[in-house]
Amino acid sequence: MAAKHSQADVTRAISAARSVIDQVFPVPPETVTEAAWTETEAALLAWSNEGSAPNRPPLLVKSGNHATGISGNLSWDGDVTRIGKAVTLHDEARRTAGCFSALRGEAEGVQAVTSSTRAFPVFYAENADFHVIGTRALHVHLVATGGKTVWDEIALQSMIRQGYFLSDETPYSGVRALPPSSAIRVRGAHRTIWTEPLPQAGPTPSSSRARRAAIARLADALVAAVEPLRAAPEPVNLALTGGRDSRLMAALLHAARIPFRATTNGLDTHPDVVIARLITGKLRVDHTIIPPVQTERKDAVVIPHPQERTYEVVRTCEGMTSAYESIVEYLPYSAKPTMSGQSGEILRGGFLYSQGQTTDKAMRRRVNDFFLKNEALFTEDANTHAKELAAPWLARVGENPWEVLDHMYITYRVGRWHAAARAGSLRRGDPVQPFLDNRVVVEALSLDQRWRHSEEVVYELIRRFAPGLEKIELEGSPWRFAADGGKPSGTWSWPWSRTPAPPKAVAKPVKKTNASWNWRTSPGPVLSGLLRDYVLERADALSALVRPDELKAVFAAPSVTQPALAWNLYTVAALLTGMFPGAPPTGLEPVRVEIPGS
């Protein structure tokens, strides 16, 4: 917090920030510790539930007349001190490896900075007396408003369409998210924001030697990103599926010679489970299967009531992620190292990974659909706002549509959806995520989008890190370059293996069966009825955003045909009718969702 004028009382703002910590920090109050640095006209406050976790820097690193706090993790211990001593945080953050944001309090004011993904977000707001900057949007909002919650209703149109924000908006009036690779500095009443553009991709290397060198730079960045795990007291727990990205993480840990074990969620016959067994068998690592909760007859799954699920998601993710998403439930903080393949699409072209047709027209339509999905459902004002948000990206589509879908993924899918959803896992640990490492992202975005879109880059990284792993079946679709009739450009392996790798057979996809059924995408009539009744009873609260007749049509079928949209509507309806902040719902029975064909 930084005062705008000498009459502003910093001690009152500090008291306000402390008074609401139990509302904004979704962990038990008894687990929370605090650190503070204050000056006459500025203050930096920090809270944590990490206790005395080893190998963690202090909450605030104090030096002279300033203090620095790091949210996230850095690849090298000395970076905390180096960032703290920098004249401006922005210059130092650009060349710092890790996944983090940083805030610094100074006698003259405050600074904050995000890395290239803003996976650890920074939010800012102001009132007549103070500039307020923080890592929890609701906290910033309540300090700025004096404890009153005011919703930014028109901003929530994006939450209904996509389940996250396609802008720098938040659910809270007056609170904005700092963009990726950005810095904010406050001096008195003046606030300045700098943003470093995301890297522009170069052309695909024209020779095999140049391709190997480009992939080697990315491989080196990935290895450096897991360097802190060498000091871990026990093996890394890797969430492993049958896809590409977590497989690359397994290969990376194998190549870096960092001990790990794997965990897979699903029924015993689910493709993720079947393929993960093959991967762990190949690498000779321990593998644990976690089945979903089922009834005794195993003909249904049992889930929390939608109100309970929504409250927990809203409380944890601050209303910036839909209750359609399954966030990690709370457990006491553990220093045990964890990893997953989340956001690996960065290495496959961002939103391009799911782009079928790659004509300029098709990609322009995709960008438009992101912002104006289900346009007929929304009011004129909501659609006008969405068009305003889409305009800058649509203007860029004419110049480079490949770059637009690549950069939108970083800016919104990672910087807004992932940043909000991962709050659940951060309560219980501090996962290392190489795909979000500052240096890895810069190296990846510098590679031609068409090359990454072909999936050759990921394929070659897996083959380089763990030769043979690329031969194991894939869940879903085959390698894109193989489906298009291509083949990888080289047959080399990791540098310490001097024997050239023989040509490899391309892995075949594993087709989905009824074993891959998911209650979220097939909710059935009972759960659909609960979603329908709750939303339609609160239709008036949604009237500024959606048209009543179209809203009824969403729930016309016995089982909703767009379950994600139904959950998004449920989430926003809950926000606008006061579910949170407040006490959690009680006395609600779990919901039984039948497994088709059981």
Side-chain angles (χ1 to χ4, degrees), residues 248-290:
L248 175 53
M249 291 296 94
L252 170 61
L253 292 170
H254 172 78
R257 298 176 181 175
I258 294 173
F260 73 99
R261 53 178 173 256
T263 303
T264 305
N265 291 280
L267 298 171
D268 202 53
T269 53
H270 192 286
D272 281 342
V273 175
V274 173
I275 296 169
R277 280 201 188 102
L278 298 174
I279 294 170
T280 53
K282 176 75 173 178
L283 298 180
R284 298 181 180 179
V285 297
D286 291 338
H287 185 210
T288 301
I289 312 300
I290 303 177

Side-chain angles (χ1 to χ4, degrees), residues 538-560:
R538 292 158 179 78
D540 287 348
L542 297 169
S543 61
L545 298 172
V546 298
R547 303 176 190 275
D549 292 345
E550 296 292 339
L551 180 62
K552 292 178 181 178
V554 171
F555 296 97
S559 294
V560 292

Side-chain angles (χ1 to χ4, degrees), residues 384-452:
T384 297
H385 187 66
K387 291 173 182 177
E388 292 170 351
L389 298 175
W393 293 100
L394 290 172
R396 287 178 58 184
V397 167
E399 302 171 5
N400 189 342
W402 292 79
E403 182 180 81
V404 166
L405 288 177
D406 192 21
H407 286 188
M408 277 182 61
Y409 182 85
I410 292 289
T411 305
Y412 300 134
R413 185 64 176 174
V414 176
R416 300 311 314 274
W417 173 77
H418 188 177
R422 69 200 298 268
S425 61
L426 289 173
R427 294 180 300 177
R428 60 194 289 181
D430 198 12
V432 174
Q433 295 185 282
F435 290 133
L436 302 180
D437 180 90
N438 209 26
R439 183 185 165 198
V440 170
V441 172
V442 170
E443 290 288 350
L445 294 188
S446 299
L447 300 181
D448 182 74
Q449 287 94 2
R450 292 169 178 80
W451 190 26
R452 280 184 284 136

Side-chain angles (χ1 to χ4, degrees), residues 267 269-272 475 511-519 521:
L267 298 171
T269 53
H270 192 286
D272 281 342
E475 194 278 327
K511 294 183 178 180
K512 293 185 177 181
T513 64
N514 193 51
S516 61
W517 169 84
N518 187 307
W519 66 265
T521 55

Side-chain angles (χ1 to χ4, degrees), residues 519-593:
W519 66 265
R520 292 194 309 154
T521 55
S522 301
V526 175
L527 179 55
S528 294
L530 291 173
L531 297 175
R532 176 189 305 112
D533 293 346
Y534 187 91
V535 173
L536 295 184
E537 285 172 4
R538 292 158 179 78
D540 287 348
L542 297 169
S543 61
L545 298 172
V546 298
R547 303 176 190 275
D549 292 345
E550 296 292 339
L551 180 62
K552 292 178 181 178
V554 171
F555 296 97
S559 294
V560 292
T561 56
Q562 297 187 72
L565 176 61
W567 276 105
N568 297 350
L569 286 161
Y570 193 104
T571 306
V572 173
L575 282 175
L576 295 178
T577 54
M579 172 181 278
F580 182 80
T586 58
L588 299 170
E589 294 293 327
V591 179
R592 183 179 184 275
V593 183

